[in-house]
Amino acid sequence: MASSPASGSRLWETDPILTVEHLFMRFGGLVAVNDLSFNVGRGDITALIGPNGAGKTTVFNCITGFYKPSAGRLALAHRRAATPAEIDAATAIGERSLATGDAAVYLLERLPDYRVSGEAKVARTFQNIRLFTGMTVLENLMVAQHNALMRASGYSLRGLFGLPSWGRAARAATEKATFWLDKVGLLERADDPAGDLPYGAQRRLEIARAMCSDPILLCLDEPAAGLNPRESLELNTLLRSIRADHGTSILLIEHDMSVVMEISDHVVVLDYGTKISDGTPEAVKSDPRVIAAYLGVDEDAVEEAGAEIEEIVQTGAAS
Amino acid sequence: MAAQIAEPAAGGTGAPARADSFGPALKDALIAGLVTLGLLGPLVGFHAVVKDEGMNGQAALGLDYRPGLVAIMVGIVFAGRLLLNLTVWSPNRVVATRSGPTVFDRIGTTLGPAIKPALLAFAVGFPFLAAFLMGGLNESRYLVDVGILILTYVMLGWGLNIVVGLAGLLDLGYVAFYAVGAYTYALLATSAPINDFFAGLLGATFWANWAFWICLPLAGVFAGLWGMILGFPVLRLRGDYLAIVTLAFGEIIRLVLINWVDFTGGGAGIASIPRATFFGIPFNASEDGFAARFGLDFNPMHRIVFLYFVILALALVTAFATVRLRKLPVGRAWEALREDEIACRSLGINTTNVKLSAFATGAMFGGFAGCFFAVRAGFVSPESFTFDISAMILAIVVLGGMGSQIGVAVAAAVMMGGMELLRNLGFLSNVFGPGFDPTQYRMLLFGLAMVAIMVWKPRGLVSTREPTIFLKERKAVSGDLVKEGHG
Amino acid sequence: MDIFVQQLINGLTLGSIYGLIAIGYTMVFGIIGMVNFAHGDVFMVSAFIALICFLLLTTVLGITSIFLALAIVLVVAMFFTALTNWAIERVAYRPLRGSFRLAPMISAIGMSILLANFVQVSQGPRNKPVPPMIGDVIVLMERDGYQVTLAWKQVIIMVLTAALLGGFWYLVQKTSLGRAQRACEQDRKMAALLGINVDHTISLTFVIGAALAAVAGVMYLMYYGVVNFADGFVPGVKAFTAAVLGGIGSLPGAVLGGLLIGLIETFWSAYFSIEYKDVAAFSILAVTLIFLPQGLLGRPEVEKV
């Protein structure tokens, strides 16, 4: 699962890992997501941006199974991109997933939330951090390996009697947790309660926890929110390394444009639940519709904003 | 007694305003006294007495008056409140922060690892200690009986602790599983067809001698199965709804036990259930009996002491299994579920299965305890499985500190021991008059204790949480960070 | 047919009582999101207060007009029950606001046990019968010796319930208290920022709930003529069932649920088995919560992620 850095090649068109087609989400009379279609490229860092209330988190909740979409298809392809024919076949037979030799298609809209993570291997973090605050940092990472450990413990029977195979699995799980703790710089705090960590560390721990469930697609809901510039920079490094070393594709919601413009390969812009722009960061930031959506349609403001974004991007790149 | 209810009633009312003024304190105390008068006046001051009039047996009500009692209670509240306003609640006093480890936690850390073996040694040696202290085996009967009672509740507390303390699911119908266990044993052990079947196969006394040991695992399995059957439809519900539905299930099972007379014997219950045996050897005076086989003089206390060790062993199995399960993925998932159900689902954990496993495991231990109850009492009836029992077990778990094993054990000993103590307060009738019966205040005190714990120490005796795994150093997690029960 | 009409009347009477208690559950749940487990016992306490007041009026003060006595009993019971519930909220629930979610519920369970046993200790465990208060009945129809009757006390119960509900609806919909209450339901913090005294509003909610429960208590005593310290539990659970069935948080729902539960209970007793009538009520509770947790008139909840 080697990833190719997305220089110039538009992976979301040639090798999509997730295909969102005609997604609708209604709450009563409110249409939060309106006919949204986009692709997420395999090995890409894709950013989903948009003004407040644009429906970004709702899209996330649909992808990760917490909301059932009102309509639409969310096809996740394991190993290689699924052909439209394969996706249609999976849709037609009414199954939740379809494995065809070298690939597998999961129709996320049909999976309950825990199976989106457990089987389709889509992990997520939350806008308002959801750690197990009363458990230690290490325990948080052990819980993330629940399904694998459950099988290793013989659904508790082997573990209850302390068989050696369980001991090996438990040690391996601890090692994996240690690896990720080291990676996010929390090894020293492994035995502290997660709730005692400072905010930035909690954000990193949540990412480490999501990674412990071995995802192929990692969905991050505003990972840079509340971070100071230094932490923001560390986050960029972490996300790049996750993509490069583990081949995990990343989909993130972010308001911090310096993060978005610097690390993403592909940007999708939402406004009022509809897609208004989709392309490389360079293409998106000069799209007048995006500027208008962020700052209203006043001509002067649009120009000003364009300059401002330019400036942010340059400082972001320089730092 | 009831005066205490009202005492903190005005606890929240305006805190004394100025540092130097006696006036506000007095006014506040007066209001508290008046509120107490209003609360207690009607129901304590007057007593509707049923008077049987003449021969026709027509009951009629008359009124008695107890103004003195109300006056005393109001006086206590007034004086107590005034005193508190001037001292503890005085605005001059610096308020200590409430969080941080409790006294009990500190005792726990200082005594550290010594406390568990010490308690265990005490529990194992208790019957002998009792016999020694009371000067004979027969004289120790009462103490050993109390020990059995306490250990039964320790076990029930530990069983419910899995559901409420670890998984954070408020189960108000736990007594149903206790009942399932008890009735499983009672029905199977007294069943004539089973007895005849084994009589033809393995001898006439086989079933009577072995019923308990064969039914014990069955009782646990059945109770666990019932836990799954009842749990499956309701575990999607939010915490407080779940509590009410489990309460309803508990009541349904009890009402069915009362009304299905053909099967359960109805309200009269099931009597003459076979007694426990020493692994097939009955405790009787016969040649094959326990005493004769082991060259002892026959004494009915042998069976009681044996029962004590049976329940001790069962309780320890519960504790051991819980400790073990907590370190397994399923146990960690229980605690993670208590912390944040949505995060659990985002990590691929099937929360329904996790809840179900907690529910069934807790129910199983309740079933074991129920089986033991039936063999100890030799009699079961629906009367023994009321909501009050569920509430008592819950109170033990809550007082102990949800999730803490030592805390639950100590809470069970304090609460059940305290109840027993009430029986021995007969001398108080010299003070309060001959009609005074301390045992009738049992449940009143229990209810009061539950409210008081929630108001003053919602985290219970042991408020810290032991982590299940550590890299370098085991650090206890402060109770303030641990979430209890989820929405 | 005759039996059916008779049971319909009986069921609606019983349902009115349940409906009045259910409002207390639904209001408290609406405003602080807790199941006030002790509410059934508050109802029982109110019946005892009514009993004592009634005895005092008839045997000691010698009031002969039963309607005058009832009116006084109603006011007295409402006052003292409201005071009791006010104190309960102060002592057992208010300190727990902001504690973990199940804390107030556990406290309420303790309070329920406390109230029942307080009454048992102070008034004794025996049933307390009162002489029949209003014995007159109206014969609606008569066929083959079977009379369908409407007792005056049933008329009183239904009329009083309807009148109270009207007044209560006015209170919630049209007054500033009702507005404050609805604001607290939506967002307590914001309501406080806008100058609503949240503590005061919550206290008043408990007071109103208790006053309605007291009316139910008086009518229960009048209707059945007997009360016992354990009478809070089962009617309490049934009223809670009514609140859930109607959609917890919805006031018309509570009344509708109460009437339905009353009807189901009487018809079940009449046509199936009286032994299993409580089982039926408990089963409805379980089935409603499992399959229709938002109730008949409630709004479905969207899980916040």
Side-chain angles (χ1 to χ4, degrees):
Chain A
M1 266 212 281
S3 67
S4 52
S7 50
S9 68
R10 294 158 74 93
L11 278 175
W12 63 93
E13 283 167 0
T14 55
D15 184 15
I17 184 169
L18 174 71
T19 316
V20 177
E21 291 167 280
H22 305 292
L23 182 69
F24 284 89
M25 186 71 212
R26 298 183 196 90
F27 297 105
L30 178 85
V31 184
V33 179
N34 190 4
D35 197 10
L36 175 69
S37 302
F38 67 92
N39 290 344
V40 176
R42 189 177 306 274
D44 268 357
I45 294 180
T46 309
L48 191 59
I49 65 169
N52 285 329
K56 304 180 297 288
T57 300
T58 307
V59 173
F60 254 44
N61 284 336
C62 288
I63 293 173
T64 50
F66 282 88
Y67 289 166
K68 274 260 137 329
S70 311
R73 185 162 68 184
L74 303 156
L76 183 88
H78 278 215
R79 289 187 284 282
R80 64 158 173 81
T83 62
E86 280 168 343
I87 298 177
D88 285 340
T91 313
I93 58 172
E95 287 293 323
R96 287 161 167 167
S97 61
L98 182 70
T100 50
D102 60 333
V105 184
Y106 288 86
L107 297 176
L108 300 183
E109 77 278 9
R110 294 180 179 176
L111 291 172
D113 43 24
Y114 69 93
R115 289 178 65 177
V116 169
S117 164
E119 289 166 33
K121 294 289 172 199
V122 179
R124 73 170 290 178
T125 65
F126 297 88
Q127 197 174 338
N128 46 340
I129 307 173
R130 283 182 176 275
L131 288 172
F132 306 121
T133 51
M135 301 175 87
T136 66
V137 169
L138 180 60
E139 281 178 311
N140 267 274
L141 300 192
M142 297 299 278
V143 172
Q145 304 176 53
H146 177 82
N147 285 328
L149 284 176
M150 209 57 192
R151 279 188 293 277
S153 72
Y155 298 92
S156 303
L157 283 178
R158 232 179 286 161
L160 210 50
F161 296 104
L163 296 190
S165 62
W166 157 246
R168 278 194 300 278
R171 270 192 301 281
T174 318
E175 268 162 34
K176 185 177 187 179
T178 316
F179 169 81
W180 279 107
L181 284 179
D182 193 29
K183 187 120 181 166
V184 299
L186 289 171
L187 197 53
E188 283 307 306
R189 309 216 52 178
D191 298 322
D192 287 330
D196 270 352
L197 297 182
Y199 191 82
Q202 291 198 4
R203 282 245 175 253
R204 293 204 301 280
L205 176 59
E206 209 188 12
I207 296 174
R209 186 180 68 178
M211 286 309 294
C212 274
S213 65
D214 289 328
I216 63 160
L217 176 64
L218 176 64
C219 300
L220 305 171
D221 198 343
E222 298 198 23
L227 300 190
N228 62 35
R230 190 178 54 80
E231 288 173 324
S232 244
L233 209 67
E234 282 169 8
L235 177 76
N236 289 355
T237 321
L238 175 66
L239 295 187
R240 282 212 183 91
S241 128
I242 284 174
R243 189 254 305 264
D245 303 342
H246 302 272
T248 307
S249 315
I250 296 174
L251 174 65
L252 56 91
I253 293 176
E254 192 46 72
H255 280 296
D256 187 337
M257 284 304 150
S258 68
V259 173
V260 170
M261 293 303 162
E262 196 187 342
I263 66 168
S264 37
D265 309 298
H266 173 199
V267 177
V268 177
V269 190
L270 281 191
D271 193 21
Y272 295 111
T274 36
K275 184 168 82 175
I276 55 171
S277 186
D278 182 346
T280 59
E282 291 72 29
V284 164
K285 76 171 177 236
S286 53
D287 188 331
R289 275 179 303 178
V290 177
I291 299 163
Y294 267 89
L295 294 154
V297 280
D298 186 57
E299 281 301 319
D300 294 346
V302 169
E303 269 168 39
E304 235 171 80
E308 206 171 297
I309 289 172
E310 196 68 38
E311 194 182 325
I312 290 168
V313 170
Q314 268 155 16
T315 46
S319 60
Chain B
M1 177 59 255
Q4 289 186 24
I5 312 165
E7 190 173 331
T13 46
R18 254 160 260 101
D20 50 332
S21 51
F22 179 77
L26 185 70
K27 189 181 158 205
D28 177 72
L30 269 175
I31 292 173
L34 271 178
V35 169
T36 315
L37 181 67
L39 292 178
L40 301 180
L43 292 183
V44 178
F46 301 95
H47 182 195
V49 206
V50 182
K51 290 174 178 150
D52 290 318
E53 294 207 331
M55 296 303 289
N56 58 4
Q58 192 72 28
L61 286 181
L63 273 183
D64 269 357
Y65 307 94
R66 294 178 289 210
L69 194 56
V70 176
I72 292 172
M73 287 174 171
V74 171
I76 291 173
V77 170
F78 171 72
R81 178 106 190 147
L82 187 60
L83 213 64
L84 283 171
N85 276 344
L86 294 175
T87 56
V88 183
W89 293 335
S90 156
N92 297 333
R93 197 164 163 274
V94 182
V95 183
T97 47
R98 278 173 55 164
S99 61
T102 66
V103 180
F104 200 83
D105 294 334
R106 280 200 291 274
I107 295 172
T109 19
T110 18
L111 295 182
I115 198 158
K116 281 179 197 174
L119 278 179
L120 181 62
F122 176 75
V124 171
F126 177 74
F128 308 108
L129 196 67
F132 176 73
L133 286 177
M134 304 304 286
L137 207 52
N138 291 320
E139 287 75 14
S140 70
R141 163 104 201 216
Y142 173 70
L143 276 184
V144 178
D145 272 341
V146 173
I148 291 176
L149 178 77
I150 290 177
L151 281 177
T152 310
Y153 276 85
V154 168
M155 174 161 183
L156 287 168
W158 280 344
L160 185 62
N161 190 25
I162 294 175
V163 186
V164 180
L166 294 184
L169 305 164
L170 187 53
D171 179 0
L172 293 181
Y174 193 62
V175 76
F177 308 121
Y178 190 42
V180 167
Y183 270 85
T184 302
Y185 176 61
L187 287 170
L188 289 177
T190 57
S191 149
I194 297 179
N195 189 28
D196 295 345
F197 173 74
F198 282 111
L201 220 62
L202 294 157
T205 57
F206 174 81
W207 186 239
N209 286 346
W210 282 98
F212 175 66
W213 297 105
I214 294 171
C215 291
L216 184 63
L218 282 180
V221 169
F222 270 134
L225 217 58
W226 270 100
M228 285 202 195
I229 294 169
L230 296 187
F232 191 72
V234 302
L235 286 173
R236 284 175 301 139
L237 296 175
R238 296 188 341 207
D240 35 10
Y241 279 9
L242 177 77
I244 298 281
V245 174
T246 50
L247 168 91
F249 279 155
E251 283 299 299
I252 289 174
I253 287 193
R254 191 175 65 85
L255 290 168
V256 169
L257 288 178
I258 291 176
N259 289 309
W260 196 0
V261 181
D262 297 340
F263 182 58
T264 63
I270 301 171
S272 32
I273 302 168
R275 299 290 189 169
T277 59
F278 186 81
F279 306 104
I281 305 170
F283 289 94
N284 56 24
S286 75
E287 263 174 41
D288 291 333
F290 173 79
R293 291 262 191 113
F294 288 83
L296 300 167
D297 292 332
F298 172 71
N299 187 328
M301 270 304 288
H302 290 156
R303 187 176 62 84
I304 308 293
V305 172
F306 180 66
L307 282 175
Y308 176 88
F309 283 108
V310 169
I311 186 65
L312 180 61
L314 284 173
L316 289 178
V317 166
T318 312
F320 178 76
T322 311
V323 169
R324 221 40 210 261
L325 285 169
R326 270 193 74 205
K327 294 180 202 260
L328 289 176
V330 67
R332 287 209 193 97
W334 290 341
E335 294 199 75
L337 185 75
R338 175 192 64 201
E339 298 283 323
D340 194 327
E341 180 170 350
I342 287 173
C344 277
R345 298 209 304 251
S346 84
L347 296 170
I349 298 176
N350 183 342
T351 47
T352 310
N353 286 354
V354 170
K355 287 178 184 178
L356 215 52
S357 65
F359 219 62
T361 312
M364 184 179 74
F365 290 120
F368 287 141
C371 184
F372 175 81
F373 171 83
V375 81
R376 184 189 69 108
F379 169 73
V380 292
S381 83
E383 279 295 291
S384 314
F385 306 106
T386 56
F387 170 66
D388 282 357
I389 308 287
S390 288
M392 260 152 70
I393 305 168
L394 179 67
I396 286 172
V397 174
V398 167
L399 174 63
M402 297 186 198
S404 157
Q405 300 228 305
I406 282 285
V408 168
V410 171
V414 168
M415 285 208 159
M416 302 318 292
M419 302 238 142
E420 277 309 309
L421 220 58
L422 281 180
R423 280 189 213 282
N424 303 319
L425 292 180
F427 66 89
L428 282 180
S429 59
N430 299 332
V431 186
F432 293 105
F436 184 78
D437 173 15
T439 50
Q440 64 174 336
Y441 294 93
R442 232 169 54 110
M443 290 310 290
L444 185 72
L445 286 174
F446 238 121
L448 192 68
M450 275 175 88
V451 177
I453 297 163
M454 278 299 119
V455 172
W456 283 299
K457 272 193 78 44
R459 304 276 169 192
L461 290 175
V462 180
S463 60
T464 56
R465 178 186 166 273
E466 282 285 300
T468 60
I469 189 175
F470 60 97
L471 272 190
K472 296 185 192 76
E473 177 191 6
R474 188 183 292 277
K475 299 177 191 165
V477 179
S478 155
D480 295 342
L481 294 170
V482 181
K483 299 204 183 84
E484 276 162 5
H486 43 86
Chain C
M1 180 60 204
D2 305 349
I3 298 179
F4 179 84
V5 174
Q6 183 67 65
Q7 296 307 334
L8 193 67
I9 294 168
N10 295 349
L12 288 176
T13 315
L14 191 59
S16 305
I17 295 178
Y18 289 153
L20 284 175
I21 312 176
I23 290 176
Y25 278 111
T26 228
M27 273 202 312
V28 166
F29 190 91
I31 199 159
I32 51 175
M34 87 174 256
V35 178
N36 182 8
F37 200 85
H39 194 64
D41 294 276
V42 169
F43 155 78
M44 178 275 299
V45 165
S46 79
F48 265 90
I49 293 173
L51 170 79
I52 298 238
C53 180
F54 185 74
L55 287 176
L56 206 60
L57 290 173
T58 51
T59 59
V60 181
L61 299 177
I63 292 179
T64 46
S65 158
I66 212 88
F67 286 100
L68 179 62
L70 267 182
I72 297 174
V73 164
L74 205 57
V75 172
V76 170
M78 281 167 89
F79 172 76
F80 282 103
T81 313
L83 181 72
T84 308
N85 216 21
W86 173 84
I88 290 174
E89 195 268 331
R90 264 291 163 71
V91 180
Y93 307 150
R94 186 173 298 179
L96 296 177
R97 251 179 255 156
S99 188
F100 59 103
R101 180 166 180 141
L102 294 178
M105 172 109 186
I106 294 170
S107 184
I109 294 168
M111 195 41 92
S112 154
I113 296 172
L114 180 70
L115 285 176
N117 286 279
F118 167 65
V119 172
Q120 184 192 9
V121 168
S122 64
Q123 298 294 321
R126 288 183 65 176
N127 274 346
K128 308 283 176 186
V130 285
M133 296 185 198
I134 304 162
D136 304 336
V137 294
I138 310 162
V139 178
L140 292 181
M141 38 176 155
E142 182 168 5
R143 201 186 305 156
D144 308 331
Y146 184 87
Q147 288 183 335
V148 175
T149 59
L150 176 64
W152 268 110
K153 53 188 179 187
Q154 291 178 316
V155 177
I156 295 175
I157 290 175
M158 288 190 246
V159 168
L160 200 56
T161 306
L164 273 173
L165 288 177
F168 181 68
W169 181 84
Y170 177 81
L171 186 79
V172 172
Q173 293 294 323
K174 306 280 173 191
T175 65
S176 63
L177 166 67
R179 246 188 330 270
Q181 230 168 12
R182 280 178 287 145
C184 289
E185 272 177 40
Q186 295 286 322
D187 189 334
R188 228 183 299 155
K189 224 174 255 167
M190 194 61 213
L193 287 174
L194 293 174
I196 292 172
N197 187 339
V198 173
D199 281 348
H200 190 69
T201 311
I202 293 174
S203 275
L204 265 173
T205 307
F206 275 84
V207 163
I208 295 169
L212 291 176
V215 177
V218 173
M219 297 195 300
Y220 182 88
L221 186 70
M222 180 178 76
Y223 192 55
Y224 289 105
V226 65
V227 65
N228 181 278
F229 77 94
D231 279 350
F233 184 70
V234 172
V237 174
K238 285 179 185 164
F240 178 74
T241 309
V244 169
L245 184 61
I248 199 144
S250 150
L251 296 174
V255 180
L256 176 70
L259 292 177
L260 280 175
I261 293 291
L263 286 171
I264 292 170
E265 185 180 332
T266 39
F267 280 108
W268 183 280
S269 306
Y271 291 104
F272 297 102
S273 71
I274 197 150
E275 289 88 13
Y276 284 98
K277 74 178 161 95
D278 289 350
V279 175
F282 287 124
S283 307
I284 292 170
L285 173 62
V287 168
T288 313
L289 280 178
I290 294 163
F291 295 107
L292 195 72
Q294 78 274 21
L296 295 171
L297 302 180
R299 267 163 299 170
E301 251 178 71
V302 177
E303 187 176 43
K304 278 250 168 83
V305 178

